[in-house]
Amino acid sequence: MVRWILLVCFCSFGWAQTSLSLSQFQELEYKSATDNSLKISKQTKRIIVSFDQEGNGFMSAFLQTKPASYLPSEQTIYIGDISKMPTLVTRLFAKPRMSKYPFTIYLHDDDKLKSWVPSKPNSVTVVLFDENGQSEDIFFTNIPQQALGIIQK
């Protein structure tokens, strides 16, 4: 019984100590829906990551109501992890649809991102960075206004 309690405490402590840096995100490769290479700026203050169709659905629907300059003006990057998506579906359906979005979605098609960025089904992961590029908050939400800091979590 004591071992189980210690294990639960250890796992909880480890989860609470999750820390990410902007440089970790900058080391990965990203493409736009039109296959242009994209880089993450040092001035980025917020990264929103979608790992599933549901997360991308509500974020994209909301962002389509905003001007193209909205994410850059908020120093925010939106990353779509498409590593689980079949290549044929990506090329024939997803990328053509995403290329029509009025915002840039940074597409990542490798499983590296999923290995160190925490996630929750049907939500997006939001990482807020301080002026030194270290994460100061990581949370999950299925409310786009929370992800963008428009309303408090």
Side-chain angles (χ1 to χ4, degrees):
M1 181 67 170
V2 173
R3 286 183 182 172
W4 283 108
I5 293 172
L6 289 174
L7 179 63
V8 169
C9 290
F10 178 76
C11 289
S12 298
F13 180 73
W15 180 255
Q17 294 300 313
T18 298
S19 179
L20 301 173
S21 70
L22 189 58
S23 63
Q24 286 176 282
F25 286 93
Q26 291 172 317
E27 292 170 2
L28 300 178
E29 292 184 22
Y30 305 94
K31 299 273 186 181
S32 69
T34 56
D35 284 327
N36 295 322
S37 291
L38 298 170
K39 300 289 181 191
I40 294 180
S41 164
K42 292 179 182 177
Q43 286 74 39
T44 301
K45 296 295 178 198
R46 177 186 311 264
I47 291 182
I48 302 168
V49 185
S50 172
F51 289 101
D52 58 32
Q53 187 174 1
E54 292 80 7
N56 183 58
F58 69 75
M59 280 307 302
S60 295
F62 180 76
L63 290 172
Q64 288 181 61
T65 68
K66 300 294 182 190
S69 61
Y70 182 74
L71 289 175
S73 71
E74 297 294 318
Q75 297 175 307
T76 299
I77 300 292
Y78 178 42
I79 298 174
D81 183 317
I82 57 172
S83 62
K84 295 187 299 185
M85 190 181 297
T87 304
L88 190 61
V89 172
T90 302
R91 288 186 184 160
L92 293 179
F93 303 107
K95 283 187 175 182
R97 185 181 70 235
M98 288 186 248
S99 69
K100 296 176 183 171
Y101 289 166
F103 58 91
T104 301
I105 183 168
Y106 286 54
L107 300 174
H108 183 72
D109 64 359
D110 190 324
D111 60 355
K112 291 179 186 173
L113 191 65
K114 181 76 171 166
S115 69
W116 48 266
V117 175
S119 65
K120 183 178 173 185
N122 306 320
S123 297
V124 293
T125 302
V126 181
V127 185
L128 303 176
F129 296 97
D130 63 19
E131 61 278 351
N132 297 317
Q134 297 300 311
S135 61
E136 57 185 11
D137 193 12
I138 301 171
F139 64 94
F140 312 105
T141 186
N142 57 8
I143 302 170
Q145 294 87 343
Q146 278 183 343
L148 293 162
I150 297 170
I151 61 173
Q152 297 300 314
K153 56 181 177 159

